[in-house]
Amino acid sequence: MSRISVALLLSEQDINWMSDILRQADADTTRVTDVKQGLRAWRAAPADLVVCDLDELGDDAELIWQRMEQSPDTEWLLLSRGDPHPDWNAKAQQCVATVFRRPVDPELVQAFIDDTLMQQGQSCRATKPILTSQANQFGYLLGSSAPMRHLYRVLKRLGPTGANVLIVGESGVGKEHVAKTLHRLGCDPNAPFMAINCGALSPDLIESELFGHVKGAFTGAHQDHAGIFHQAEGGTVFLDEITEMPQALQVKLLRVLESGEYRPVGSTHNQRANVRLVAATNRDPQQAIASSRLREDIYYRLAQFVVNVPPLREREGDIEALTTHFLAELNHQFHTQKGIDPQAIKRLNAHRWPGNVRELKHAIEHGYLLCAETILPDDLPQAVITPTNTPTAIMLPESLTLDALERLAITQTLARCDGNKTRTAEVLGISPKTLYNKLNQYHSVSSSSTAGERIDSDRG
């Protein structure tokens, strides 16, 4: 890696301790005693960092100021006794220079220089810029992993049917993107898509937002208002976080699902709903029903089909592909050519991503903004680079055999996949044939055990 060039315009009292700090940082240091000579040298080979004694510049101060304006890529560290310099204060602010007042704490200077050299040094180890995406796309969704390919197949079949759909998935997996993809598959391209977050509106407003109201229906209703069901005529209504909808309103939504009609607030006339209804939740539907967050009758009316969106941690290979996609978009948007260090990719792959794709996108944006040319591990958010996401060790009973553990993994995964054997095999990383053989084996063992119990009972 190339060494960082540092120019020192310092008095004798500072040159020794500053040189020691830069020597430890392995910087290529040059002392400049004549400002004009130094400026000529910098035109030929600009310094990465200039450390300058502000109080010793005298008549050459204006020359340094001009050079600061002309060198936006050079880092400037100014030392000062603290005497008022109104002009220099304004210039330091405009050029975002760093000023240390005397007496200078060497440890603070050391920390500043270490940080500066690390940032400047990225250009010397810059990786190949990420200018193209490696993420395959289906509608509004990105990814090529087996769980995502399964999701694409489901959406292709459901989209044209116009059936109501309940989307289940953790926060940040892209449930609204799933809803938009379903909408585009099943509606006219010009049909409206209206989305509402049921948890973002107060109970007093959500009914009016959904069904509209007539003038005078309540205080502040100075004119008629068309609700989302009317605005989305011929299109799709997407109810995000349906389990956050008040129970009283769920009853009215049930009436829409059963009869296809709704009544605006304050009106005496029903209106016909000509929309496709897609809802989403980040909660387990059965747990939401048990905790009275979701009415059971509305669940069965709403969930003609349930679509499960996989979390990012189960999408093998998609993390790196999505990283290239987000970084390529940022480079295109801001006309840059930044890359990402392999160690940063390793950290991304090791993270559990509780916030899923949304969290990954924010992490790449965070790293992009902090890095010079290459996203390094330290440029990523602290939650990503801190190894606090190591899975907790599972304590297994001593009597549990390997066969029993395998059977437990298969049966629980099959339950999570709603009995879908193809999806279960994909999640477990085995072939469908192997899965069917295992299930037949379990069925045979179960049947034999039952027959044995009946024989013993008869003997008794």
Side-chain angles (χ1 to χ4, degrees):
M1 185 176 74
S2 302
R3 300 173 71 189
I4 304 301
S5 61
V6 181
L8 303 177
L9 285 94
L10 296 175
S11 60
E12 290 293 341
Q13 64 177 340
D14 294 314
I15 196 68
N16 291 331
W17 65 268
M18 182 66 72
S19 296
D20 288 341
I21 290 176
L22 292 168
R23 194 177 300 114
Q24 294 175 30
D26 195 30
D28 187 4
T29 305
T30 303
R31 184 182 180 188
V32 177
T33 55
D34 181 81
V35 172
K36 294 182 178 64
Q37 181 181 0
L39 291 174
R40 286 194 294 271
W42 294 342
R43 290 191 189 94
D48 297 309
L49 170 65
V50 176
V51 184
C52 180
D53 189 333
L54 186 61
D55 302 313
E56 299 294 326
L57 289 177
D59 295 336
D60 293 326
E62 189 63 28
L63 295 175
I64 293 295
W65 159 242
Q66 293 175 4
R67 187 60 191 172
M68 287 175 65
E69 285 186 314
Q70 298 165 3
S71 307
D73 295 329
T74 298
E75 191 79 32
W76 292 82
L77 173 57
L78 309 177
L79 306 182
S80 169
R81 288 189 301 267
D83 296 341
H85 288 285
D87 291 340
W88 265 103
N89 280 339
K91 293 169 183 177
Q93 291 168 356
Q94 293 173 30
C95 291
V96 198
T98 301
V99 182
F100 280 101
R101 315 292 185 191
R102 298 184 188 279
V104 178
D105 185 343
E107 291 187 2
L108 291 179
V109 176
Q110 174 81 66
F112 167 82
I113 288 178
D114 287 346
D115 182 64
T116 300
L117 296 185
M118 181 187 72
Q119 294 294 325
Q120 293 283 359
Q122 288 190 36
S123 61
C124 300
R125 53 171 169 163
T127 57
K128 182 179 179 181
I130 304 296
L131 304 177
T132 57
S133 170
Q134 296 175 8
N136 292 335
Q137 183 170 349
F138 175 73
Y140 291 83
L141 300 166
L142 297 166
S144 309
S145 61
M148 291 303 289
R149 295 198 305 271
H150 172 76
L151 176 62
Y152 300 160
R153 289 195 295 271
V154 171
L155 298 182
K156 282 181 181 179
R157 294 167 185 167
L158 286 182
T161 67
N164 296 334
V165 175
L166 178 64
I167 304 170
V168 179
E170 298 175 6
S171 294
V173 294
K175 296 187 289 293
E176 185 167 345
H177 290 326
V178 173
K180 287 181 177 179
T181 302
L182 279 170
H183 168 70
R184 298 299 293 179
L185 287 168
C187 294
D188 181 273
N190 298 318
F193 176 89
M194 302 296 297
I196 183 170
N197 188 318
C198 299
L201 294 176
S202 71
D204 297 331
L205 291 177
I206 191 169
E207 183 176 2
S208 173
E209 284 296 314
L210 287 177
F211 305 133
H213 63 254
V214 297
K215 181 180 179 181
F218 49 83
T219 303
H222 301 302
Q223 58 185 13
D224 290 353
H225 169 68
I228 283 178
F229 273 87
H230 179 78
Q231 297 175 48
E233 179 75 19
T236 300
V237 170
F238 175 54
L239 301 177
D240 197 10
E241 304 306 339
I242 182 70
T243 53
E244 309 308 310
M245 179 182 287
Q247 286 272 338
L249 190 59
Q250 289 187 28
V251 174
K252 296 182 179 181
L253 182 61
L254 178 63
R255 186 166 61 245
V256 178
L257 292 168
E258 290 178 336
S259 67
E261 295 183 342
Y262 65 93
R263 180 173 295 183
V265 179
S267 175
T268 57
H269 301 288
N270 290 343
Q271 294 187 16
R272 192 76 183 169
N274 178 28
V275 298
R276 180 185 200 170
L277 197 60
V278 178
T281 179
N282 60 6
R283 301 179 183 273
D284 179 270
Q286 297 303 326
Q287 291 181 4
I289 292 171
S291 60
S292 300
R293 287 184 172 273
L294 182 66
R295 290 178 58 93
E296 189 171 18
D297 48 8
I298 199 174
Y299 167 71
Y300 287 113
R301 280 285 184 178
L302 187 62
Q304 288 180 283
F305 291 95
V306 177
V307 173
N308 290 286
V309 186
L312 183 56
R313 61 183 171 274
E314 294 182 2
R315 296 168 52 180
E316 184 177 355
D318 279 350
I319 292 174
E320 189 166 351
L322 289 170
T323 296
T324 66
H325 180 83
F326 298 139
L327 188 50
E329 283 194 331
L330 289 167
N331 279 327
H332 177 76
Q333 180 180 354
F334 297 105
H335 308 290
T336 53
Q337 295 196 358
K338 295 187 178 184
I340 185 165
D341 188 82
Q343 289 302 313
I345 291 287
K346 187 175 180 180
R347 294 288 181 89
L348 295 175
N349 282 320
H351 188 52
R352 292 285 293 168
W353 300 109
N356 292 289
V357 179
R358 184 189 298 123
E359 184 189 4
L360 174 61
K361 184 177 182 181
H362 291 169
I364 300 306
E365 291 171 348
H366 186 283
Y368 175 88
L369 293 173
L370 289 185
C371 78
E373 294 184 23
T374 300
I375 298 177
L376 302 176
D378 287 345
D379 296 321
L380 298 172
Q382 193 63 38
V384 176
I385 63 179
T386 303
T388 57
N389 297 292
T390 303
T392 303
I394 301 175
M395 300 302 295
L396 300 174
E398 293 183 5
S399 60
L400 187 65
T401 65
L402 185 59
D403 287 340
L405 181 61
E406 179 187 68
R407 180 171 182 169
L408 185 64
I410 289 175
T411 54
Q412 289 191 358
T413 305
L414 186 64
R416 287 200 304 271
C417 295
D418 298 322
N420 187 309
K421 295 181 178 61
T422 302
R423 168 89 175 104
T424 300
E426 290 176 346
V427 172
L428 292 171
I430 60 177
S431 68
K433 182 179 179 181
T434 299
L435 177 62
Y436 277 99
N437 289 339
K438 291 288 184 183
L439 293 174
N440 288 334
Q441 177 185 338
Y442 302 150
H443 178 71
S444 298
V445 171
S446 178
S447 298
S448 299
S449 299
T450 303
E453 290 172 2
R454 286 199 302 268
I455 293 172
D456 291 339
S457 177
D458 292 341
R459 288 175 179 172

